[in-house]
Short mmCIF file of all heavy atoms in Angstrom, two decimals:
data_model
loop_
_atom_site.label_atom_id
_atom_site.label_comp_id
_atom_site.label_asym_id
_atom_site.label_seq_id
_atom_site.Cartn_x
_atom_site.Cartn_y
_atom_site.Cartn_z
N GLN A 2 -9.74 -1.20 -15.19
CA GLN A 2 -8.49 -0.63 -15.21
C GLN A 2 -7.81 -0.82 -13.80
O GLN A 2 -6.74 -1.22 -13.61
CB GLN A 2 -8.61 0.88 -15.45
CG GLN A 2 -7.28 1.65 -15.29
CD GLN A 2 -7.42 3.15 -15.56
OE1 GLN A 2 -8.44 3.68 -15.70
NE2 GLN A 2 -6.32 3.85 -15.50
N GLY A 3 -8.62 -0.50 -12.73
CA GLY A 3 -8.09 -0.63 -11.39
C GLY A 3 -7.79 -2.11 -10.92
O GLY A 3 -6.76 -2.38 -10.39
N TYR A 4 -8.64 -3.03 -11.41
CA TYR A 4 -8.45 -4.34 -11.11
C TYR A 4 -7.18 -4.99 -11.63
O TYR A 4 -6.34 -5.70 -10.97
CB TYR A 4 -9.64 -5.17 -11.37
CG TYR A 4 -9.55 -6.63 -11.00
CD1 TYR A 4 -9.38 -6.82 -9.59
CD2 TYR A 4 -9.94 -7.77 -11.73
CE1 TYR A 4 -9.35 -8.19 -9.09
CE2 TYR A 4 -9.87 -8.97 -11.31
CZ TYR A 4 -9.60 -9.27 -10.00
OH TYR A 4 -9.61 -10.52 -9.56
N LYS A 5 -6.84 -4.54 -12.90
CA LYS A 5 -5.67 -4.90 -13.56
C LYS A 5 -4.43 -4.46 -12.91
O LYS A 5 -3.40 -5.12 -12.73
CB LYS A 5 -5.63 -4.58 -15.02
CG LYS A 5 -6.53 -5.36 -15.98
CD LYS A 5 -6.46 -5.01 -17.38
CE LYS A 5 -7.26 -5.87 -18.33
NZ LYS A 5 -7.13 -5.52 -19.69
N GLN A 6 -4.57 -3.15 -12.37
CA GLN A 6 -3.43 -2.66 -11.64
C GLN A 6 -2.99 -3.44 -10.38
O GLN A 6 -1.95 -3.66 -10.05
CB GLN A 6 -3.70 -1.12 -11.27
CG GLN A 6 -3.73 -0.25 -12.47
CD GLN A 6 -4.12 1.08 -12.11
OE1 GLN A 6 -4.80 1.33 -11.10
NE2 GLN A 6 -3.72 2.11 -12.96
N VAL A 7 -4.15 -3.85 -9.71
CA VAL A 7 -4.00 -4.56 -8.45
C VAL A 7 -3.23 -5.91 -8.76
O VAL A 7 -2.40 -6.35 -8.14
CB VAL A 7 -5.17 -4.80 -7.65
CG1 VAL A 7 -5.09 -5.71 -6.53
CG2 VAL A 7 -5.76 -3.45 -7.14
N LYS A 8 -3.82 -6.52 -9.75
CA LYS A 8 -3.31 -7.92 -10.14
C LYS A 8 -1.89 -7.75 -10.65
O LYS A 8 -0.96 -8.68 -10.26
CB LYS A 8 -4.14 -8.62 -11.21
CG LYS A 8 -5.56 -8.85 -10.73
CD LYS A 8 -6.33 -9.84 -11.68
CE LYS A 8 -6.45 -9.15 -13.01
NZ LYS A 8 -7.32 -10.08 -13.91
N ASP A 9 -1.47 -6.81 -11.38
CA ASP A 9 -0.19 -6.71 -11.94
C ASP A 9 0.80 -6.28 -10.85
O ASP A 9 1.96 -6.78 -10.72
CB ASP A 9 -0.08 -5.70 -13.00
CG ASP A 9 -0.97 -6.12 -14.25
OD1 ASP A 9 -1.19 -7.35 -14.46
OD2 ASP A 9 -1.15 -5.35 -15.16
N GLU A 10 0.36 -5.42 -9.94
CA GLU A 10 1.19 -4.86 -8.88
C GLU A 10 1.53 -6.05 -7.92
O GLU A 10 2.74 -6.10 -7.33
CB GLU A 10 0.63 -3.77 -8.19
CG GLU A 10 1.49 -2.99 -7.25
CD GLU A 10 2.44 -2.10 -8.13
OE1 GLU A 10 2.13 -1.82 -9.29
OE2 GLU A 10 3.48 -1.60 -7.58
N LEU A 11 0.67 -6.93 -7.71
CA LEU A 11 0.85 -8.04 -6.80
C LEU A 11 1.37 -9.37 -7.43
O LEU A 11 1.26 -10.43 -6.85
CB LEU A 11 -0.35 -8.32 -6.06
CG LEU A 11 -0.82 -7.10 -5.01
CD1 LEU A 11 -2.20 -7.44 -4.39
CD2 LEU A 11 0.19 -6.97 -3.93
N GLY A 12 1.76 -9.36 -8.59
CA GLY A 12 2.28 -10.39 -9.31
C GLY A 12 1.18 -11.48 -9.65
O GLY A 12 1.52 -12.67 -9.74
N TRP A 13 -0.08 -11.06 -9.90
CA TRP A 13 -1.09 -12.00 -10.13
C TRP A 13 -0.72 -12.77 -11.47
O TRP A 13 -1.03 -13.97 -11.66
CB TRP A 13 -2.51 -11.35 -10.33
CG TRP A 13 -3.58 -12.22 -10.76
CD1 TRP A 13 -4.16 -12.26 -11.87
CD2 TRP A 13 -4.24 -13.31 -10.06
NE1 TRP A 13 -5.16 -13.11 -11.99
CE2 TRP A 13 -5.28 -13.76 -10.94
CE3 TRP A 13 -3.93 -13.79 -8.82
CZ2 TRP A 13 -5.97 -14.83 -10.47
CZ3 TRP A 13 -4.79 -14.88 -8.39
CH2 TRP A 13 -5.82 -15.39 -9.23
N ALA A 14 -0.34 -12.04 -12.61
CA ALA A 14 0.00 -12.70 -13.88
C ALA A 14 0.96 -13.72 -13.60
O ALA A 14 1.06 -14.77 -14.30
CB ALA A 14 0.45 -11.59 -14.82
N ASP A 15 2.03 -13.58 -12.85
CA ASP A 15 3.10 -14.54 -12.65
C ASP A 15 2.59 -15.76 -12.10
O ASP A 15 3.04 -16.91 -12.27
CB ASP A 15 4.15 -14.00 -11.61
CG ASP A 15 4.83 -12.80 -12.18
OD1 ASP A 15 4.84 -12.57 -13.43
OD2 ASP A 15 5.43 -12.04 -11.41
N PHE A 16 1.39 -15.81 -11.31
CA PHE A 16 0.85 -16.94 -10.79
C PHE A 16 -0.03 -17.78 -11.71
O PHE A 16 -0.52 -18.87 -11.43
CB PHE A 16 -0.05 -16.58 -9.57
CG PHE A 16 0.84 -16.60 -8.29
CD1 PHE A 16 1.90 -15.61 -8.07
CD2 PHE A 16 0.92 -17.66 -7.35
CE1 PHE A 16 2.58 -15.65 -6.93
CE2 PHE A 16 1.73 -17.57 -6.29
CZ PHE A 16 2.51 -16.54 -6.00
N GLN A 17 -0.26 -17.20 -12.86
CA GLN A 17 -1.09 -18.02 -13.97
C GLN A 17 -0.43 -19.30 -14.38
O GLN A 17 -1.03 -20.21 -14.85
CB GLN A 17 -1.39 -17.15 -15.16
CG GLN A 17 -2.12 -15.86 -14.84
CD GLN A 17 -3.49 -16.13 -14.07
OE1 GLN A 17 -4.33 -16.81 -14.50
NE2 GLN A 17 -3.63 -15.68 -12.75
N VAL A 18 0.84 -19.46 -14.19
CA VAL A 18 1.53 -20.72 -14.57
C VAL A 18 1.77 -21.55 -13.41
O VAL A 18 2.53 -22.54 -13.54
CB VAL A 18 2.87 -20.25 -15.25
CG1 VAL A 18 2.66 -19.51 -16.51
CG2 VAL A 18 3.76 -19.55 -14.27
N ARG A 19 1.28 -21.31 -12.22
CA ARG A 19 1.47 -22.06 -11.01
C ARG A 19 0.34 -23.06 -10.89
O ARG A 19 -0.62 -23.14 -11.69
CB ARG A 19 1.56 -21.21 -9.79
CG ARG A 19 2.50 -20.07 -9.78
CD ARG A 19 3.99 -20.73 -9.85
NE ARG A 19 5.05 -19.72 -9.84
CZ ARG A 19 5.49 -19.18 -8.80
NH1 ARG A 19 5.11 -19.39 -7.61
NH2 ARG A 19 6.48 -18.10 -8.91
N SER A 20 0.36 -23.81 -9.81
CA SER A 20 -0.77 -24.78 -9.59
C SER A 20 -2.03 -24.18 -9.14
O SER A 20 -2.02 -22.95 -8.81
CB SER A 20 -0.27 -25.75 -8.51
OG SER A 20 -0.14 -25.16 -7.26
N ASP A 21 -3.13 -24.94 -9.28
CA ASP A 21 -4.42 -24.40 -8.87
C ASP A 21 -4.33 -24.01 -7.43
O ASP A 21 -4.86 -22.88 -7.01
CB ASP A 21 -5.44 -25.46 -9.00
CG ASP A 21 -5.85 -25.63 -10.46
OD1 ASP A 21 -5.18 -25.14 -11.38
OD2 ASP A 21 -6.91 -26.35 -10.76
N LEU A 22 -3.63 -24.66 -6.54
CA LEU A 22 -3.61 -24.23 -5.14
C LEU A 22 -2.84 -23.07 -4.93
O LEU A 22 -3.26 -22.09 -4.13
CB LEU A 22 -2.89 -25.34 -4.32
CG LEU A 22 -2.78 -25.21 -2.79
CD1 LEU A 22 -4.19 -24.98 -2.21
CD2 LEU A 22 -2.09 -26.38 -2.15
N ALA A 23 -1.72 -22.82 -5.63
CA ALA A 23 -0.98 -21.53 -5.60
C ALA A 23 -1.77 -20.35 -6.07
O ALA A 23 -1.77 -19.34 -5.47
CB ALA A 23 0.38 -21.72 -6.39
N ILE A 24 -2.58 -20.55 -7.12
CA ILE A 24 -3.42 -19.54 -7.69
C ILE A 24 -4.45 -19.22 -6.60
O ILE A 24 -4.69 -17.96 -6.48
CB ILE A 24 -4.03 -19.88 -8.94
CG1 ILE A 24 -2.95 -20.05 -10.12
CG2 ILE A 24 -5.09 -18.95 -9.35
CD1 ILE A 24 -3.45 -20.53 -11.35
N ARG A 25 -5.13 -20.12 -5.93
CA ARG A 25 -6.19 -19.90 -5.02
C ARG A 25 -5.55 -19.11 -3.80
O ARG A 25 -6.20 -18.19 -3.34
CB ARG A 25 -6.75 -21.11 -4.59
CG ARG A 25 -7.61 -21.78 -5.80
CD ARG A 25 -8.09 -23.22 -5.21
NE ARG A 25 -8.72 -23.85 -6.39
CZ ARG A 25 -9.90 -23.93 -6.78
NH1 ARG A 25 -10.80 -23.06 -6.15
NH2 ARG A 25 -10.39 -24.60 -7.72
N ARG A 26 -4.40 -19.61 -3.38
CA ARG A 26 -3.80 -18.82 -2.22
C ARG A 26 -3.32 -17.33 -2.61
O ARG A 26 -3.61 -16.50 -1.76
CB ARG A 26 -2.51 -19.68 -1.77
CG ARG A 26 -2.67 -20.97 -1.09
CD ARG A 26 -1.45 -21.66 -0.82
NE ARG A 26 -1.74 -22.86 -0.07
CZ ARG A 26 -0.74 -23.75 0.29
NH1 ARG A 26 0.45 -23.56 -0.20
NH2 ARG A 26 -0.97 -24.76 1.03
N HIS A 27 -2.87 -17.30 -3.80
CA HIS A 27 -2.55 -15.88 -4.20
C HIS A 27 -3.72 -15.01 -4.34
O HIS A 27 -3.77 -13.76 -4.02
CB HIS A 27 -1.80 -15.84 -5.52
CG HIS A 27 -1.05 -14.67 -5.79
ND1 HIS A 27 0.15 -14.22 -4.87
CD2 HIS A 27 -1.10 -13.55 -6.64
CE1 HIS A 27 0.53 -13.03 -5.32
NE2 HIS A 27 -0.26 -12.69 -6.45
N GLN A 28 -4.86 -15.53 -4.74
CA GLN A 28 -6.17 -14.77 -4.94
C GLN A 28 -6.62 -14.28 -3.44
O GLN A 28 -7.08 -13.15 -3.40
CB GLN A 28 -7.32 -15.58 -5.45
CG GLN A 28 -8.52 -14.83 -5.50
CD GLN A 28 -8.57 -13.58 -6.36
OE1 GLN A 28 -7.59 -13.47 -7.17
NE2 GLN A 28 -9.62 -12.75 -6.22
N VAL A 29 -6.15 -15.01 -2.46
CA VAL A 29 -6.56 -14.47 -1.05
C VAL A 29 -5.76 -13.23 -0.80
O VAL A 29 -6.24 -12.22 -0.22
CB VAL A 29 -6.29 -15.59 -0.01
CG1 VAL A 29 -6.45 -15.07 1.37
CG2 VAL A 29 -7.19 -16.71 -0.23
N LEU A 30 -4.53 -13.21 -1.25
CA LEU A 30 -3.64 -11.94 -1.09
C LEU A 30 -4.18 -10.87 -1.88
O LEU A 30 -4.31 -9.73 -1.37
CB LEU A 30 -2.22 -12.35 -1.56
CG LEU A 30 -1.30 -11.11 -1.69
CD1 LEU A 30 -0.99 -10.52 -0.42
CD2 LEU A 30 0.01 -11.52 -2.24
N VAL A 31 -4.67 -11.15 -3.03
CA VAL A 31 -5.23 -10.05 -3.78
C VAL A 31 -6.53 -9.44 -3.19
O VAL A 31 -6.66 -8.28 -3.07
CB VAL A 31 -5.54 -10.50 -5.23
CG1 VAL A 31 -6.36 -9.48 -6.08
CG2 VAL A 31 -4.28 -10.89 -6.06
#
């Protein structure tokens, strides 16, 4: 529950359609 809240609040789902590099960079933010 808590992990999904963090990912959704920080736009993690939006980055699923980005490049591998963008996803890896955004994971650093998460």
Side-chain angles (χ1 to χ4, degrees):
Q2 178 183 2
Y4 187 50
K5 283 184 176 179
Q6 289 175 339
V7 171
K8 294 194 295 184
D9 293 344
E10 195 75 16
L11 293 173
W13 174 253
D15 298 337
F16 271 74
Q17 298 302 300
V18 297
R19 304 293 181 89
S20 67
D21 283 8
L22 180 59
I24 292 176
R25 294 175 190 271
R26 286 175 173 172
H27 196 68
Q28 176 63 16
V29 174
L30 170 63
V31 173

